[in-house]
Amino acid sequence: MEAELQEISNAIKDLSTINLVKDYIFPLAIVLIGGFVAHFSAAYLRYLDAQKEKLDIANEWILGLQQAFHSLIAIKGNYFENLTHKPIQRAGAFPEIISSSKTIELQTNKLSFIVQSIDDYSGENNFHMNPAYIAGLQSNYNTLLNTLHERNMLAAKILTILAQEYSAKGPHLDLQLEQIYQVINPSEFLGYIQLTEYIIKSTDELLIAIHNFLCEFPDICRYSIDTKRIKHYRKVIEVYYDRMDLLEKSPTVNYSELAALFQVTEKEARERFSTGYENQPGPIEKTTESIKSQSVNQAIEKYKLNKSIEIRHRYWWK
């Protein structure tokens, strides 16, 4: 009996020596802190992975549309400075173009990260932050390439026949319409004129639209992607272009003569060749020289953008 009492007495003494903080609270705190650190470490790694993915998508679009831009420059180089206002002359000055340009098929749904949120919405209609507009650039470029292929097939046929029949007149179709209609089906030749004018106008306006996108999109990406925290991974590709003369529009076709060819009104002729880019701003000047020697206004805008980017990405967990 005494032994049992002694054991109870010893147990009571042991309980009185237990340190609540050391034995219970401190181990529990360590477990909680460890779980908290593990949770935020995993969340931070997921955040970095998301930024890397967005950066890869952005650069993929920049490279894809940069490829499209240079393909259009190569196409325009075949007739640049050779055009007059006369539809028939223009059809002859624009040769058959052997090109290896390929259509681009980038996924628009992956651009959702550039869309302004309700908190960021400024009221400005910046269409370079609109995935639908960017998808339109890709679609219109692909359509233009397909149209060029169709025109090439007609050019190979029409220009060969005209060269054989009127070789003394030279390659620029310095002929009367009646002479052309003697050897070429009128509907076929008018189709050739229509494709020519569509390509000339679309190339001019799509070049400016893609150029402006490439100038502005890198800054949009830096605002939408936390590039500072993944600076050792990759950078947003910066684009500039020095040949601003190639971004000047070609001489406008004489719509009165064009309307007479198609037997429509001049207004109908203009509407027939509308591209939807007629009212866009002119080409942004982003050249090597402008980057090296920024104006005061450019420096101020750059500073404002950098501050807004810094504020936006200050807290990665928000």
Side-chain angles (χ1 to χ4, degrees):
M1 185 69 177
E2 291 183 1
E4 292 176 353
L5 291 173
Q6 186 63 38
E7 287 179 6
I8 293 172
S9 175
N10 292 337
I12 293 172
K13 288 180 180 179
D14 290 339
L15 286 173
S16 64
T17 60
I18 291 175
N19 188 319
L20 185 64
V21 173
K22 179 181 177 182
D23 295 337
Y24 290 99
I25 297 178
F26 187 66
L28 180 60
I30 290 176
V31 171
L32 290 175
I33 292 171
F36 180 82
V37 171
H39 170 76
F40 274 91
S41 295
Y44 184 63
L45 290 176
R46 288 195 300 270
Y47 175 81
L48 294 182
D49 287 341
Q51 304 313 302
K52 291 176 182 178
E53 182 182 7
K54 289 190 285 187
L55 179 58
D56 288 338
I57 293 167
N59 281 339
E60 186 178 11
W61 272 94
I62 291 172
L63 288 173
L65 286 177
Q66 192 176 28
Q67 170 194 324
F69 175 82
H70 287 291
S71 294
L72 293 176
I73 285 290
I75 291 169
K76 188 171 181 176
N78 286 274
Y79 57 82
F80 183 60
E81 295 182 335
N82 292 330
L83 301 180
T84 68
H85 301 286
K86 296 183 174 297
I88 295 178
Q89 184 276 338
R90 292 158 70 89
F94 190 147
E96 177 186 0
I97 297 176
I98 307 302
S99 172
S100 59
S101 300
K102 297 180 180 179
T103 57
I104 51 176
E105 301 294 341
L106 300 172
Q107 296 182 3
T108 311
N109 63 319
K110 291 186 177 182
L111 287 174
S112 58
F113 65 89
I114 67 170
V115 178
Q116 288 181 318
S117 65
I118 295 176
D119 294 335
D120 294 330
Y121 186 70
S122 63
E124 296 180 5
N125 185 22
N126 189 340
F127 36 82
H128 294 142
M129 299 177 74
N130 184 343
Y133 174 84
I134 301 170
L137 294 179
Q138 173 177 258
S139 176
N140 289 327
Y141 169 72
N142 292 341
T143 300
L144 192 148
L145 285 189
N146 292 332
T147 305
L148 180 64
H149 176 69
E150 186 179 347
R151 183 191 180 276
N152 279 341
M153 292 190 293
L154 270 177
K157 177 181 178 180
I158 290 174
L159 296 181
T160 300
I161 294 173
L162 292 176
Q164 291 172 347
E165 295 293 330
Y166 304 108
S167 57
K169 295 291 184 180
H172 287 183
L173 297 186
D174 186 16
L175 300 167
Q176 297 298 318
L177 190 60
E178 293 75 15
Q179 294 175 290
I180 295 173
Y181 283 172
Q182 286 177 8
V183 292
I184 303 294
N185 183 286
S187 62
E188 193 170 48
F189 185 72
L190 290 177
Y192 179 63
I193 293 285
Q194 182 164 325
L195 292 177
T196 300
E197 291 305 324
Y198 169 82
I199 293 171
I200 291 173
K201 193 168 187 294
S202 293
T203 299
D204 278 347
E205 293 175 354
L206 201 54
L207 264 176
I208 295 174
I210 293 177
H211 168 78
N212 288 350
F213 167 81
L214 291 173
C215 288
E216 289 194 349
F217 193 62
D219 284 339
I220 292 172
C221 291
R222 277 188 285 272
Y223 184 78
S224 303
I225 305 169
D226 194 349
T227 57
K228 185 176 181 180
R229 287 189 172 87
I230 54 171
K231 61 183 178 181
H232 298 300
Y233 176 66
R234 289 191 183 106
K235 295 181 179 180
V236 178
I237 297 172
E238 194 71 51
V239 179
Y240 58 90
Y241 186 66
D242 289 335
R243 287 293 306 276
M244 296 299 292
D245 57 314
L246 284 173
L247 295 179
E248 295 177 4
K249 290 188 177 181
S250 304
T252 305
V253 67
N254 186 319
Y255 279 101
S256 178
E257 293 186 18
L258 195 64
L261 279 174
F262 288 98
Q263 297 181 358
V264 296
T265 66
E266 187 172 329
K267 180 182 177 181
E268 290 172 333
R270 290 180 182 275
E271 291 174 349
R272 178 174 295 192
F273 296 99
S274 174
T275 63
Y277 293 106
E278 284 82 4
N279 297 322
Q280 69 176 327
I284 296 171
E285 187 172 344
K286 190 176 181 183
T287 62
T288 308
E289 188 60 32
S290 68
I291 291 175
K292 290 180 180 177
S293 307
Q294 288 187 341
S295 66
V296 175
N297 289 336
Q298 286 175 323
I300 292 173
E301 289 300 318
K302 195 70 175 177
Y303 173 78
K304 289 180 178 178
L305 175 65
N306 289 338
K307 290 301 292 183
S308 66
I309 290 172
E310 181 182 340
I311 292 170
R312 177 178 174 80
H313 298 301
R314 181 175 294 167
Y315 308 109
W316 65 267
W317 58 83
K318 63 182 180 179

